Amino acid sequence: MNQTMQTPSAEDLVEVRHLVKYFPVRAGLLQRIVNWVKAVDDVSFSVRKGETLGMVGESGCGKTTVGRSILRLVEPTSGAVSFEGKDVLELRGRELKDVRRHMQIIFQDPYASLDPRVPIGESVMEGLHIHNIGTRQERYDLMIDTLKKVGLEDYHARRYPHEFSGGQRQRIGIARALALRPNFIICDEPVSALDVSIQSQVLNILKDLQKEFGLTYLFIAHNLSVVEHISDRVSVMYLGKIVELTDRDELFRNPLHPYTKALMSAIPVPDPKLKRQRTILKGDVPSPLNPPKGCRFHPRCPIAEAICSQQEPEFRQVKSDHWVACWMVK
């Protein structure tokens, strides 16, 4: 059953409709396609101007594939992605290049995304050069200004990626995404590999830059505490589908989907005297090669009934701006 969403509004910067991404599985001497990995299977949502939409879920649920599909770093199988009213999936050549200037990504592993043979100043300026922005001196000045905005100094521009710590490299990744002054940035687990103290610094940089430049974020993570700190709204993914989407405060106060409740119960409590009732999910996440019929969560769901294994629940609005896909939520 298709996921349905509210009517697009003027506040939406990015609209994703019925996004699908299947990866082929090949086997045999002739490498014929024998199956498909259903990484993202009919996902719909919107990101409003100036907000941070958090996207959470277990590893392998399709979060990163959604982000890369929006930017066409991987080509979607089907669906529609609209950015400022333009269908990104229909653009070609110069039009696609122009739109990509306004849509950037911060990768999870900054070291793997930086060329080890190039000083980081050149890496930050690369996008400016590709889009032919300014003179060489103007590009250099903009690069230095961008490095300073993320807490680095002039002399860092001449250093190579291996000379920086993990937190500094992530700042470089932020600077590279920011250099083109985009409207929309996909943050693909930008703090998951960092120490907790460094995480807070990077998150504060992202929030300060959002205020200064009016940025819009899609923040992909699996740490709910981080998502609660930075997000305005939160979407929860499970096995290629969004199962719940609502305002951050509403989600943490009143989660409705059983999977969301299980995730919430796993958040550590800082007070050792307080005990939180944990929801322990049985079994492992099913394979995206052969997802379960009906609700994809039903094999692990503690409240599943017969209909859950037979029919896929509609992603529907149950409260004001609160959407959920579950037969048991009335």
Side-chain angles (χ1 to χ4, degrees):
M1 184 178 294
N2 290 338
Q3 291 198 340
T4 56
M5 287 292 293
Q6 65 268 43
T7 304
S9 71
E11 296 180 353
D12 296 336
L13 181 69
V14 179
E15 298 166 17
V16 177
R17 293 291 175 265
H18 308 299
L19 185 66
V20 174
K21 178 57 183 176
Y22 292 173
F23 292 97
V25 178
R26 300 179 184 273
L29 185 63
L30 300 178
Q31 290 293 290
R32 291 192 175 98
I33 297 174
V34 296
N35 207 339
W36 295 89
V37 176
K38 300 175 177 62
V40 178
D41 198 2
D42 195 7
V43 164
S44 297
F45 63 93
S46 61
V47 189
R48 299 165 184 165
K49 293 177 183 177
E51 80 163 348
T52 299
L53 175 65
M55 182 169 283
V56 301
E58 293 170 287
S59 296
C61 70
K63 308 184 298 296
T64 294
T65 304
V66 168
R68 290 174 180 248
S69 296
I70 291 173
L71 298 182
R72 289 180 63 183
L73 297 180
V74 297
E75 286 291 336
T77 303
S78 64
V81 176
S82 174
F83 174 74
E84 294 185 326
K86 298 179 180 178
D87 190 343
V88 177
L89 306 189
E90 296 296 324
L91 299 179
R92 297 290 184 273
R94 182 71 188 184
E95 289 182 316
L96 178 59
K97 182 180 177 181
D98 290 343
V99 165
R100 277 181 164 163
R101 175 183 173 181
H102 303 288
M103 304 170 70
Q104 293 292 305
I105 184 170
I106 301 168
F107 293 100
Q108 179 178 0
D109 185 353
Y111 189 66
S113 65
L114 293 170
D115 189 336
R117 301 165 297 178
V118 176
I120 63 102
E122 294 294 327
S123 292
V124 172
M125 284 194 295
E126 185 177 11
L128 300 172
H129 175 72
I130 290 172
H131 289 275
N132 197 28
I133 297 173
T135 63
R136 173 72 184 180
Q137 185 60 45
E138 288 171 341
R139 289 196 288 267
Y140 180 83
D141 292 341
L142 182 56
M143 177 268 293
I144 294 297
D145 178 64
T146 304
L147 288 179
K148 289 183 176 180
K149 288 187 182 301
V150 299
L152 298 174
E153 299 297 334
D154 303 33
Y155 59 85
H156 286 131
R158 299 185 295 274
R159 295 185 178 178
Y160 291 82
H162 72 272
E163 299 181 77
F164 294 91
S165 67
Q168 287 176 318
R169 284 197 288 263
Q170 196 56 278
R171 291 170 190 250
I172 296 165
I174 295 171
R176 188 171 58 172
L178 183 66
L180 288 168
R181 299 298 186 261
N183 300 333
F184 177 58
I185 298 180
I186 294 175
C187 307
D188 184 10
E189 303 203 31
V191 298
S192 63
L194 306 179
D195 294 337
V196 174
S197 59
I198 307 300
Q199 284 185 13
S200 62
Q201 293 175 18
V202 172
L203 291 174
N204 288 335
I205 287 173
L206 289 172
K207 294 183 78 170
D208 290 342
L209 292 174
Q210 185 174 37
K211 291 178 182 177
E212 183 175 352
F213 294 102
L215 297 171
T216 302
Y217 293 143
L218 174 62
F219 193 92
I220 298 169
H222 57 256
N223 187 327
L224 283 166
S225 298
V226 169
V227 170
E228 184 179 17
H229 176 71
I230 198 170
S231 300
D232 299 300
R233 292 188 301 144
V234 181
S235 59
V236 181
M237 281 195 72
Y238 182 81
L239 204 62
K241 288 186 175 290
I242 293 179
V243 297
E244 189 163 2
L245 191 157
T246 188
D247 176 79
R248 172 197 61 192
D249 295 334
E250 169 70 10
L251 187 80
F252 282 84
R253 181 177 61 249
N254 183 33
L256 298 179
H257 197 280
Y259 177 62
T260 310
K261 292 179 179 179
L263 289 180
M264 295 294 180
S265 74
I267 299 175
V269 179
D271 187 345
K273 295 181 181 180
L274 294 177
K275 300 296 181 181
R276 174 176 284 164
Q277 185 175 357
R278 291 287 305 274
T279 301
I280 306 299
L281 299 178
K282 299 178 181 179
D284 297 321
V285 179
S287 170
L289 283 167
N290 186 27
K293 183 182 177 183
C295 175
R296 296 192 173 186
F297 185 60
H298 85 262
R300 306 173 71 197
C301 182
I303 61 172
E305 296 187 2
I307 191 174
C308 301
S309 61
Q310 297 165 6
Q311 298 181 36
E312 184 178 330
E314 181 184 3
F315 190 61
R316 69 190 195 282
Q317 186 174 11
V318 293
K319 292 183 179 180
S320 176
D321 205 22
H322 196 154
W323 299 72
V324 68
C326 181
W327 289 114
M328 299 298 104
V329 177
K330 306 302 181 183

